[in-house]
Amino acid sequence: MTRLRQGCGLALLWICGVLPAAAQTALPAITVTAPSPIVRPRPAPQAPTEPVAPLLVVTPSPSLIGALPIVTDQFATVAVVPNEELRRAPSSTLGDLLFSRPGITGSSFAPGASSRPIIRGLDVNRVGIVENGVGAGGVSDLGEDHFVPVTPLASDQVEVIRGPATLRYGSQSIGGVVSSTNNRIPDRLPCGAPCVRGETRGALTSVDNGREGGVLADAAAGNVAIHADAFGRTAGDYRIPGGVQPNSWVRTDGASLGGSYIFDQGFAGAAITQNNALYAIPGLDGAAHRTRIDARETKFTSKGEYRPQAGGIDAVRFWYGYTDYKHNELGLADPLDVSTDGVRQTFTNKEHEGRVELQLMPFDLRFAALTTALGVQAGRQKLDAPGDTPGPLSGLFAPNDNARVAGYIFNEFKFSEWTKAQIAGRIEHVHLNGTTPDFPADVLPDGNPLIASPRNLAFTPKSVSVGLIQNLPDDLVASVTAQRVERAPKPAELFSRGPHDATATFDIGNPNLNIEVANSVEVGLRRATGPLRFEATAYYTRFSGFIFRRLTGVMCDEDFDSCSNPAGELNQAVYSQRDAIFRGGELQAQYDVAKVLAGVWGVEGQFDVVRATFTDGTNVPRITPMRLGGGVFYRDSHWLARVSLIHAFAQNDVAPNETPTAGYNLLKAELSYTQKFANAQAGMPREVTLGLVGNNLLNEDIRNHVSYTKNEVLMPGAGVRAFANVKF
């Protein structure tokens, strides 16, 4: 707590203006790739016979390395992890990468499950994950133990999108969208053709004796650009205070090959990617049964752009993806007999998704310049989760499929260089087919056999949003957005009717669920330049018919008839619907105090809180605790040194049958060195980055309140990550 008070004291000093200001230095612009269909015009790719600028050109300056990435031209908060930070981040999964960001945490269920991000207390069914504009695939939204087939080892940038821009991706993204981008489908020539350039990323981790690495290569010849990458990670059971977390090892690997044809007015390309994962599920049951998941995903993606700049059309863009995913949940049927090892549950997902967008040329309305983008999106998903025993009610749910088609429009009004507004809307039709029995009203066995009945359901959610951006003096930017977003229930919420061993729950869906409606408003104030950079946001959301997984307090075993056994191993969880209110806010800030040596030292701080209750005042389950943090840093054109402490307060606002979680202090430190070399050829950056990152250096018992297994599974203890990145 002494460290916490010191960090808070530093934060108060720069807020009050006591510390001296450093000289103002312009920061590099952050290009956000995902939020809106409306993309500002950019120069066409250069001819292949001419030198081409690289995708990322940076001039070392004291203000670049480690600068707080703040985006001021968006209608709602967009958190960005740029390329240079990705290479330093002590994370090989999306959830770990974003875990300490204001307003964001991760499920932290298992090291191999990619710790799916949780945004403002909203998870799985309300947070979309996309890669290069197409859904990530997999079944991570069906269970916190399922891995997300997207890795930072192959990413160039990760963005967390909130607000109106989420309408681009569907009603299932009420909470936000996590977007990972890379160069698997090149949209321009990477360097002067013909050429080849590459990058290696590697790290060693002490807490789990882990090793990870990735190799990325880009090449160009004529009008053709090619990309290839391969990556892998292996780690043993990780250490915790006082010992080791049993059954927490992980093995992952993957590769991708893609290419594009580049022409004066656009590009068209495709890629194929393979993701593999084999990882253990920690926890009492997981360790006893040696539970592990063996997952495979093959994904084909394609995208392109054509810029006719004639007939009132600025650009036409398309995205397409096909996913073939399967994983087996393996384990012992009898913990005392290793011969009983086998498949206990299987999940499969075959999914198509496509989107086409049309951006019109700006139109002069006299009082404003209007830019309009139109889009259509369609997809179909087939899911199955059979169990290890025959029968119509075996497994988590029977085969089901859902089809969706949607149209959306974004209108951006530029009243002046200081004022912009956006009006966006989306209408979607969702059709779901599956089977599930009619459970008794009290969800307890009544002696009558359950009979699965076919369900044919349809929903038409409609959403609208309005946003305003206003530039203010002193480089300040204010924004306000209001939106009404409707979400159709997902298959797991409707059709579940069986055991889910990894989350230790017996899930029961509800085919009578209605559309969930979220009415929200968000206000923000940001400053991205100068010695003081900050971003502050406050929001209020009222849900009508909020869908959640309610723990009933009843214990079950492997079938519904066992849901009256107090000694059962599974918590009965029933999908239910109630009105709820979410409100909260986030703050992150960074201040360059003074020049020292060849660089600058400064202080930084952050704060986030979310309070979620049902309209009767009771608590929504599994809501992240309030967090407060601060630290100091030094950076110059080569070095970055940083020490920070985040305090998570105890979470005592719990739902029925949910237990409180103690607070913790998370101490982190990092030291890295970057050396840039003179380019041998245009578009061929040569660069080396080496560093050390320490995590949980106080070796505290850290339990993540949102985890279903928080009482059995601690997060990793003190550890150091040594990493190296080379561009050539």
Side-chain angles (χ1 to χ4, degrees):
M1 289 303 296
T2 300
R3 292 181 177 89
L4 178 63
R5 287 192 292 268
Q6 290 173 347
C8 294
L10 286 172
L12 287 174
L13 284 174
W14 62 253
I15 289 174
C16 298
V18 174
L19 295 176
Q24 180 166 324
T25 307
L27 296 175
I30 300 172
T31 301
V32 180
T33 61
S36 172
I38 298 174
V39 179
R40 297 300 167 205
R42 66 179 183 182
Q46 297 177 352
T49 56
E50 300 176 4
V52 177
L55 292 175
L56 178 64
V57 179
V58 290
T59 302
S61 71
S63 64
L64 174 60
I65 299 177
L68 191 66
I70 296 176
V71 183
T72 59
D73 62 347
Q74 301 300 319
F75 291 88
T77 306
V78 177
V80 179
V81 184
N83 184 275
E84 60 96 11
E85 185 175 347
L86 267 175
R87 289 180 277 131
R88 301 192 325 268
S91 310
S92 54
T93 68
L94 285 179
D96 292 341
L97 176 70
L98 301 167
F99 185 83
S100 298
R101 297 265 169 169
I104 310 169
T105 187
S107 57
S108 69
F109 193 94
S114 293
S115 183
R116 187 180 174 96
I118 297 173
I119 302 175
R120 294 176 174 173
L122 302 173
D123 59 1
V124 290
N125 297 319
R126 299 176 188 84
V127 174
I129 298 179
V130 300
E131 185 175 35
N132 292 325
V134 177
V139 292
S140 65
D141 58 338
L142 300 179
E144 288 76 1
D145 57 316
H146 303 162
F147 96 113
V148 180
V150 176
T151 174
L153 285 172
S155 299
D156 290 336
Q157 183 165 290
V158 174
E159 302 160 13
V160 180
I161 307 157
R162 307 180 181 100
T166 60
L167 298 187
R168 187 186 193 189
Y169 298 96
S171 63
Q172 306 298 337
S173 301
I174 285 179
V177 173
V178 179
S179 172
S180 173
T181 55
N182 51 50
N183 201 42
R184 285 175 173 165
I185 304 177
D187 61 0
R188 61 184 62 196
L189 298 174
C191 45
C195 69
V196 177
R197 71 177 191 181
E199 180 179 351
T200 62
R201 303 175 181 180
L204 302 174
T205 52
S206 67
V207 75
D208 54 10
N209 298 322
R211 304 181 303 277
E212 62 184 56
V215 179
L216 300 86
D218 293 282
N223 288 72
V224 177
I226 301 293
H227 173 91
D229 65 66
F231 54 89
R233 177 191 176 211
T234 180
D237 292 343
Y238 63 78
R239 297 176 182 85
I240 58 176
V244 172
Q245 184 68 59
N247 213 50
S248 59
W249 53 266
V250 60
R251 313 278 188 274
T252 62
D253 63 80
S256 182
L257 177 65
S260 296
Y261 181 79
I262 314 295
F263 53 97
D264 288 343
Q265 293 176 288
F267 74 95
I272 187 166
T273 303
Q274 180 69 37
N275 287 290
N276 307 312
L278 176 64
Y279 59 93
I281 302 298
L284 297 178
D285 182 79
H289 291 88
R290 291 172 46 190
T291 305
R292 57 209 186 275
I293 288 181
D294 186 3
R296 301 286 185 271
E297 183 197 61
T298 302
K299 186 174 182 178
F300 172 81
T301 54
S302 179
K303 69 176 183 177
E305 177 176 301
Y306 175 56
R307 300 181 293 272
Q309 297 182 341
I313 299 175
D314 186 15
V316 180
R317 306 179 183 94
F318 77 89
W319 294 259
Y320 171 76
Y322 171 71
T323 296
D324 187 353
Y325 174 94
K326 179 179 180 179
H327 85 234
N328 291 321
E329 298 184 358
L330 310 173
L332 303 176
D334 182 353
L336 301 179
D337 185 356
V338 295
S339 66
T340 62
D341 191 33
V343 177
R344 302 180 68 183
Q345 177 79 69
T346 297
F347 282 81
T348 63
N349 176 27
K350 294 187 177 182
E351 185 171 5
H352 295 266
E353 179 187 347
R355 188 170 77 251
V356 178
E357 292 178 355
L358 175 68
Q359 179 174 319
L360 304 180
M361 298 287 285
F363 183 75
D364 186 3
L365 298 176
R366 296 192 177 181
F367 64 89
L370 170 63
T371 304
T372 297
L374 306 167
V376 293
Q377 183 180 23
R380 185 169 186 179
Q381 180 185 46
K382 293 186 176 182
L383 293 168
D384 193 8
D388 59 353
T389 58
L393 295 179
S394 176
L396 182 60
F397 50 73
N400 63 80
D401 68 84
N402 66 88
R404 55 200 182 276
V405 61
Y408 54 90
I409 182 171
F410 281 71
N411 293 292
E412 186 172 298
F413 298 85
K414 184 177 180 181
F415 299 101
S416 69
E417 295 297 328
W418 286 60
T419 307
K420 290 191 301 182
Q422 188 178 81
I423 300 176
R426 179 184 179 97
I427 184 169
E428 184 173 333
H429 184 74
V430 183
H431 192 188
L432 303 104
N433 290 294
T435 61
T436 190
D438 288 314
F439 288 93
D442 58 2
V443 206
L444 292 174
D446 59 5
N448 296 316
L450 293 177
I451 300 175
S453 302
R455 312 286 178 170
N456 191 338
L457 306 172
F459 303 91
T460 306
K462 298 174 284 294
S463 304
V464 64
S465 70
V466 179
L468 177 69
I469 295 178
Q470 178 65 54
N471 288 9
L472 302 172
D474 298 322
D475 298 317
L476 295 172
V477 178
S479 65
V480 58
T481 61
Q483 56 184 343
R484 175 185 173 89
V485 180
E486 298 183 352
R487 180 181 79 88
K490 297 192 73 172
E493 297 169 319
L494 297 166
F495 305 134
S496 295
R497 76 292 187 271
H500 198 173
D501 290 334
T503 55
T505 56
F506 190 96
D507 294 349
I508 297 178
N510 182 356
N512 299 315
L513 293 175
N514 297 314
I515 285 178
E516 178 183 271
V517 181
N519 295 294
S520 63
V521 61
E522 175 179 324
V523 295
L525 184 65
R526 307 184 266 281
R527 189 173 192 262
T529 60
L532 173 61
R533 302 170 295 279
F534 72 91
E535 183 170 43
T537 305
Y539 59 90
Y540 178 93
T541 302
R542 186 179 183 93
F543 284 91
S544 297
F546 180 80
I547 301 172
F548 67 105
R549 191 155 47 173
R550 174 176 57 89
L551 297 178
T552 64
V554 174
M555 303 303 294
C556 306
D557 285 315
E558 293 298 312
D559 56 47
F560 179 67
D561 288 338
S562 68
C563 288
S564 57
N565 178 14
E569 297 180 348
L570 305 176
N571 288 288
Q572 189 185 72
V574 179
Y575 283 99
S576 306
Q577 200 163 30
R578 295 176 64 184
D579 295 347
I581 299 174
F582 282 62
R583 59 274 197 198
E586 299 109 23
L587 169 67
Q588 59 176 341
Q590 193 175 71
Y591 182 55
D592 298 335
V593 176
K595 292 183 177 180
V596 60
L597 300 176
V600 62
W601 79 274
V603 294
E604 56 190 353
Q606 67 178 74
F607 171 78
D608 66 300
V609 62
V610 56
R611 184 78 175 96
T613 58
F614 296 110
T615 50
D616 64 359
T618 58
N619 297 306
V620 174
R622 300 173 56 245
I623 297 299
T624 50
M626 180 170 64
R627 298 180 297 182
L628 174 67
V632 296
F633 63 85
Y634 168 82
R635 64 171 183 263
D636 60 27
S637 58
H638 298 289
W639 290 97
L640 172 65
R642 171 182 283 153
V643 178
S644 64
L645 178 71
I646 297 176
H647 176 70
F649 293 82
Q651 179 57 286
N652 296 312
D653 297 323
V654 295
N657 303 305
E658 185 182 24
T659 58
T661 304
Y664 60 83
N665 293 308
L666 179 61
L667 180 64
K668 296 183 177 183
E670 66 174 296
L671 177 67
S672 63
Y673 177 81
T674 299
Q675 177 64 58
K676 299 176 185 289
F677 301 94
N679 292 350
Q681 180 182 350
M684 300 282 286
R686 298 171 57 199
E687 178 180 315
V688 175
T689 300
L690 306 172
L692 296 172
V693 179
N695 191 49
N696 191 13
L697 295 178
L698 298 178
N699 201 34
E700 289 218 352
D701 289 357
I702 297 180
R703 300 184 188 275
N704 187 2
H705 180 74
V706 304
S707 173
Y708 280 95
T709 57
K710 66 181 176 96
N711 295 324
E712 305 171 12
V713 179
L714 284 169
M715 296 186 67
V720 176
R721 179 178 187 264
F723 67 90
N725 176 267
V726 179
K727 289 184 176 182
F728 55 91

